[in-house]
Amino acid sequence: MIGQECGAAIAVMVFPQVGPLGMVALRLFFSAIVLLAIARPTVRGRTAAQWRSVVFFALALAFMNGLFYLALAELSLGVTVTIEVLGPLALSILAARRRSAWVWAGIALLGVIALGGGGWDSLNPVGVICALGAAVSWACYILASARVGAEFAQLDGLALAMSLGAVIALPFGIASAGEVLLRPEVLGLGLAVALLSSTIPYTLEMIALRRLPASVFAILMSLGPATASLAGFLLLGQHLSLLEIAGVVLVILASIGAVITSPPKAVPPAEPVG
């Protein structure tokens, strides 16, 4: 989580040069290169159903990253991640199919209201809409990731989906940033964001999942908003009001509660590829 939020903070610093969509294109491009080099997936012999899964996964990746960075251009890192985590939280609550799950939904709603300082007029509406879109995309990513993971060996499906996601994002990034994307310093920062936000976290998450129960892992991932708020404060100088901090805490508590009370087969919050 520290790597991912530091990567997001670096991305925000590069926004003045390439914009959010330019940063998305760089991140997905370098992430795809790294994954292709590691997985070396085969293209031949894939079924139509497998390709449909890859396309769905790629769209989820592209939208999740694009909307997340567009939200970051308008909102603080902590607020953006807190709103985004509502996607997997809602998925967990729906998968639980228990009345008690709606208690956590109510707590999360109170947290979101608190984020607006008691009124959503204190938050940029465009940023909020993009963050909510990223939340929906994150939920779709979780479903798509599970499907691709079941249909492909190791990282093959992820590598193919990331490559297709990069192809989807590149035209928007080029239209947004143009030849600035080719500057050496920008390429270097794009590679750093890809490594911090994707390659390193994926590796550490796989190691953690081999040693921790899924429920414990999900609870740790639920602390993402707190990590994002701390990274935004330390690296970007973004301050949250006491009411906003209370909102972050409420969403974290709702996520933890949803995981603890969910049945084993429920979908827990998971860290995004974006």
Side-chain angles (χ1 to χ4, degrees):
M1 285 188 291
I2 292 173
Q4 285 183 324
E5 306 314 338
C6 288
I10 293 175
V12 172
M13 297 176 187
V14 187
F15 281 177
Q17 299 182 61
V18 300
L21 296 181
M23 194 67 249
V24 172
L26 286 175
R27 175 177 170 176
L28 293 183
F29 174 74
F30 282 115
S31 296
I33 290 179
V34 172
L35 283 170
L36 287 174
I38 294 174
R40 297 183 180 181
T42 57
V43 176
R44 294 181 180 180
R46 303 297 183 184
T47 65
Q50 287 179 318
W51 282 116
R52 283 194 295 269
S53 298
V54 166
V55 170
F56 177 49
F57 198 8
L59 289 171
L61 283 168
F63 275 97
M64 181 176 67
N65 282 277
L67 291 169
F68 177 70
Y69 280 147
L70 286 171
L72 276 183
E74 307 293 342
L75 304 172
S76 69
L77 180 56
V79 170
T80 301
V81 174
T82 302
I83 296 176
E84 190 192 29
V85 83
L86 296 178
L89 173 58
L91 197 59
S92 291
I93 291 171
L94 293 173
R97 296 180 180 179
R98 294 181 178 181
R99 291 182 180 179
S100 60
W102 294 102
V103 174
W104 307 117
I107 293 175
L109 178 60
L110 289 176
V112 173
I113 293 174
L115 279 179
W120 281 85
D121 55 334
S122 64
L123 296 179
N124 183 291
V126 174
V128 171
I129 291 173
C130 289
L132 289 172
V136 174
S137 300
W138 190 353
C140 292
Y141 157 79
I142 293 173
L143 298 174
S145 177
R147 183 173 176 179
V148 168
E151 295 179 354
F152 290 84
Q154 299 179 350
L155 297 176
D156 286 17
L158 176 60
L160 292 172
M162 187 70 74
S163 301
L164 181 55
V167 171
I168 295 172
L170 274 175
F172 296 96
I174 293 173
S176 174
E179 61 183 14
V180 177
L181 291 176
L182 299 178
R183 292 180 182 174
E185 67 274 15
V186 172
L187 290 173
L189 289 171
L191 176 59
V193 170
L195 291 174
L196 283 171
S197 297
S198 300
T199 308
I200 294 175
Y202 298 160
T203 302
L204 294 177
E205 284 173 14
M206 284 190 292
I207 295 173
L209 278 170
R210 291 183 184 133
R211 292 164 172 78
L212 294 174
S215 59
V216 175
F217 178 82
I219 289 173
L220 291 173
M221 290 298 99
S222 299
L223 301 178
T227 309
S229 298
L230 184 60
F233 174 71
L234 294 177
L235 301 179
L236 300 174
Q238 297 175 343
H239 297 266
L240 296 180
S241 66
L242 290 177
L243 196 56
E244 288 174 326
I245 293 174
V248 171
V249 171
L250 286 172
V251 172
I252 291 173
L253 291 176
S255 299
I256 294 173
V259 170
I260 293 175
T261 59
S262 292
K265 292 185 180 180
V267 181
E271 198 67 11
V273 170

